[in-house]
Amino acid sequence: MNFFAAFNDIVTPDVINKAAVFVEESAPKTQKAIEGLGLTVLGGLLKRTTSEIGVNQLFNYIQKGNYDGSQTAGLSSALKDPAQTNLLIAHGNDTISHLLPAMKSSIANMISSYAGIRNSSAVSLLGLTSGIVLDVLGKQVREQKMDADGLAAALFEQREEFVQKVPESLMPKLVEKLGLQQIVAGIAGPARRGEPAATPGRPISAPGPAVTAPVYDTSSDSDNTNGLVGKIGIGLVLAAIIGAGAYMVYNNSRTGQTDDASEVAETTVTTDAGQADTVARSMAVPVDTSAMRTKPATASAVAPVAPSAASTTATAGAGTLTTALNSYMADITAPKGRTFSLSAVSFQPGSTSLTPGSETTVTEIANFLKANPAAQIRLVGYANDAGAGTTNKALSFKRVNTIKSMLVAQGINYIRVDAVGLGTGSKPRPGDSTGTRTPSLRKIDMKVVYK
C-alpha cells in the first residue's frame, strides 16, 4: 500500500480550492493545513495501532463508517454543496474523536499555528481530512481483503515515508502532541490480535481447565450469628494485647527521647544529601553535597573553596562533555536551552552505525540524565551523506534516534529525550538575493531543554 500516492490522488488542486472557499482561507494555507493534517491523522493512527484495542477499533470504524473508497470518489463534486461538505466534516470529526480521543482540539490548535489559519478552519479541515485518510485505508482494506492485523501492518509500512515527509517545522510538535517518540525511533510496532475470530468481533475462547463453582455455607442464620460473635470476641482480645504492647514501647522510648533529639535532627538534615551521594557514586558523577548540610557561618565558609582532588579526577575522567554539563548544571544563573555539540559522536558514511569511540559519549549522556532526573534533552541531527534510496533528512532522523534508542537501553525514559532530524541544515543566506545557501552539516547537537 502506498498511502501517500493514494492521498495525493484525492487531494487535487480542485479539491484544495473548493475546501479553501468553504473555510474562507487562501488556497496555499489550506493546502498546507490539509497536508499537515493528513500526516497528523496518519501519525495518530500509527500510535493507535500499537495496542490490540486500537487495531480492532480502527478496523471496526472503517467497516461501520462505510470507508471503502466510495466517499472520496466524487469528493470534488461533493464540495460544491455546503450541506454535503458539512456532512463529510461532521462524519470525519466524529470518527476521529473516537479513534484519537481528546486530541481533536490540540491537533486543530497545532495545525492552526502551523498553517496560519483560524482554529475553526483547522477543525473543519480536520474533519474533512480524517474522512479522506480513512477512506484511503478502507479502500485498501476492501481491495486487498485485509483483516485488522493486515491493516495495522500496512500502516506501519508507511512509517519510513512518514518520517521523510513530515516538514521540519512540524515534526517536533507532531511527535510531542501525539506521543510518537517510540514510533519514529523504530522501537514500537503494530500490535497483533489473538486467534482469528469465528464470529466477527468475537475472539475464540481457548479451552482451559474446568472452573469449579464456589461452594457457599448453607448453615442456619443462628450458626452464622454465633460464629460472628466469636470472631468479634477474638478480635477484641487481639486489639487489647496489641494496645498494651504499644503502650510499653511508647513508655520505654520516652526515656531516651531527649538524648536522641539532636541525632534525629542531624538525620533529617543530611538525608537528601546522602541520597544524592548514593546516586552520584552509582553514576560516577561527582556531586557537591556540602551545600545541603547546615554549616556555621564563618569567614572561611564565605571564601571560594577549591574542589577536592577526588572530585577533580572524577570529573576529568568522565570526559569533556561531562565536565561541560556539570559546570552548566551547577550554574544556577545559566538558563535552560543551552546547546552542546557532540563532536565526539560520528557515524559511518551513509549509515546509522556509530564510529568506534562514539559510544563513550552516549554513555556520558546517559550518566548525565541519571544524575539529573529532572533534565530533558533534545538531540538534533544533521546529515549530508545519504546514499541512494533515502534522504539526508531521513538519515539524520535515524541517526539521532539510534542514539536515543541506546539511551533508552541504558534505562533512560524515552520521554526525556526528544530526537529531531533536520537533514543538511542548509538554508538560504539571509539578505542574499543570489540564492546561495549556508553550508550543509553533518553533526549531532544536544540541547538541554529542561535543567
Side-chain angles (χ1 to χ4, degrees), residues 13-69:
D14 187 50
V15 167
I16 294 290
N17 289 330
K18 288 175 180 174
V21 171
F22 181 83
V23 297
E24 298 180 347
E25 300 283 357
S26 69
K29 289 183 177 181
T30 301
Q31 180 175 0
K32 186 176 183 180
I34 290 178
E35 290 174 351
L37 284 166
L39 293 165
T40 302
V41 173
L42 180 64
L45 296 181
L46 283 169
K47 176 66 180 295
R48 198 78 180 94
T49 51
T50 57
S51 71
E52 185 178 338
I53 293 176
V55 171
N56 286 324
Q57 197 173 40
L58 174 59
F59 186 77
N60 290 337
Y61 263 98
I62 286 177
Q63 299 293 321
K64 294 177 181 179
N66 296 320
Y67 290 111
D68 56 5

Side-chain angles (χ1 to χ4, degrees), residues 343-349 351-360 406:
S343 56
V345 175
S346 59
F347 291 83
Q348 301 289 350
S351 78
T352 57
S353 299
L354 287 166
T355 56
S358 297
E359 293 87 350
T360 302
M406 294 174 66

